């Protein structure tokens, strides 16, 4: 049964590829409509039917760098030669309207957000609402089996994902909570309980 989120939450979720994070996010958003994705900025060109302001905010390198210099991003990084980032305003403005924000980023991005939030004054919306969770896998062999079963990647890509996962898991202790996705229903119940405790407690 769905419960309302009494106060907005700024939920940051991170996981190794193949840990089931996307499925858990779909379940969370289906149960709690208050959750919205923040729309990120990027310097890459739109693909297919992507609409500016919906898929991403598409910026020139110059405009992106100006926002970086002005301290407008909570996190930003270069991925495959293009810049990506999450604007502070994209998180704060929906939260002021009572929405909860869900941010799906990697370990490095989560560390950037955590650092900025830690410098916020006590009682600020971002600081009160921030909660970061690492979605983990039981072990690397389980992840290898999932990636092979998924049949989306070549063997060398799977090995690269496993190496990345090892590095990401080494930093899981930086997060407020860790949810091990060894069973989807159990993992969702745990994540759901963490969210409710944070927002309603």
């Amino acid at each position: 049964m769905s419960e309302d989120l009494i106060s907005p939450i700024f939920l940051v979720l991170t996981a190794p590829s193949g840990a089931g994070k996307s499925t858990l996010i779909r379940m969370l958003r289906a149960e709690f409509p208050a959750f919205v994705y923040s729309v990120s900025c990027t310097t890459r060109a739109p693909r297919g039917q992507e609409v500016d302001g919906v898929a991403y905010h598409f910026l020139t390198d110059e405009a992106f760098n100006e926002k970086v210099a002005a301290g407008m991003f909570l996190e930003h990084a270069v991925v495959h030669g293009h810049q990506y980032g999450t604007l502070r305003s994209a998180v704060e403005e929906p939260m002021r309207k009572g929405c909860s924000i869900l941010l799906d980023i990697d370990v490095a991005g989560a560390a950037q957000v955590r650092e900025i939030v830690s410098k916020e004054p006590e009682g600020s919306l971002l600081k009160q609402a921030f909660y970061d969770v690492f979605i983990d896998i039981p072990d690397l062999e389980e992840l290898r089996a999932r990636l092979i079963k998924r049949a989306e990647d070549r063997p060398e890509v799977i090995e690269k994902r496993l190496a990345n996962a090892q590095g990401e898991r080494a930093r899981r202790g930086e997060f407020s909570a860790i949810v091990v996705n060894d069973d989807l229903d159990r993992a969702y119940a745990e994540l759901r309980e963490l969210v409710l405790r944070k927002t309603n407690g």
Side-chain angles (χ1 to χ4, degrees):
M1 190 177 85
S2 175
E3 293 185 45
D4 290 332
L5 302 178
I6 290 173
S7 57
I9 180 173
F10 175 25
L11 182 63
V12 173
L13 290 180
T14 298
S17 176
K21 178 182 58 175
S22 297
T23 303
L24 288 168
I25 286 173
R26 279 197 299 273
M27 294 169 77
L28 206 56
R29 294 188 72 200
E31 182 171 1
F32 301 106
F35 270 116
V36 297
Y37 265 125
S38 66
V39 179
S40 299
C41 297
T42 183
T43 58
R44 74 160 172 77
R47 297 173 185 156
Q49 302 299 311
E50 288 180 336
V51 177
D52 183 48
V54 178
Y56 288 95
H57 297 294
F58 295 100
L59 303 175
T60 63
D61 277 297
E62 183 181 14
F64 194 102
N65 291 335
E66 285 174 359
K67 291 183 187 300
V68 171
M72 296 174 71
F73 285 105
L74 286 174
E75 59 85 28
H76 60 92
V78 176
V79 181
H80 303 308
H82 299 290
Q83 298 190 82
Y84 291 82
T86 303
L87 288 169
R88 173 188 285 264
S89 59
V91 172
E92 289 183 328
E93 287 173 11
M95 287 181 67
R96 288 196 192 101
K97 297 173 184 174
C99 294
S100 287
I101 295 293
L102 209 158
L103 196 55
D104 172 3
I105 51 176
D106 63 13
V107 169
Q112 285 185 50
V113 176
R114 197 181 301 118
E115 175 70 14
I116 288 174
V117 169
S118 73
K119 295 174 181 174
E120 288 286 296
E122 291 302 324
S124 76
L125 184 60
L126 277 184
K127 196 158 200 166
Q128 284 184 324
F130 178 74
Y131 195 65
D132 56 343
V133 179
F134 188 89
I135 307 298
D136 203 2
I137 35 106
D139 54 54
L140 289 175
E141 285 311 306
E142 169 69 17
L143 181 58
R144 184 193 302 275
R146 288 185 194 182
L147 291 173
I148 290 171
K149 185 178 178 182
R150 200 162 69 174
E152 291 179 0
D153 301 311
R154 299 186 307 276
E156 61 270 26
V157 175
I158 288 175
E159 291 308 312
K160 186 177 180 182
R161 289 191 187 280
L162 287 167
N164 289 341
Q166 192 165 12
E168 289 164 340
R169 295 183 81 215
R171 298 182 63 179
R172 60 191 167 180
E174 299 173 14
F175 290 75
S176 303
I178 300 168
V179 172
V180 179
N181 188 10
D182 51 357
D183 174 86
L184 182 62
D185 290 337
R186 189 210 58 76
Y188 178 69
E190 185 177 343
L191 177 61
R192 180 184 186 278
E193 179 60 31
L194 288 169
V195 167
L196 287 172
R197 197 182 307 156
K198 172 67 177 175
T199 62
N200 303 352

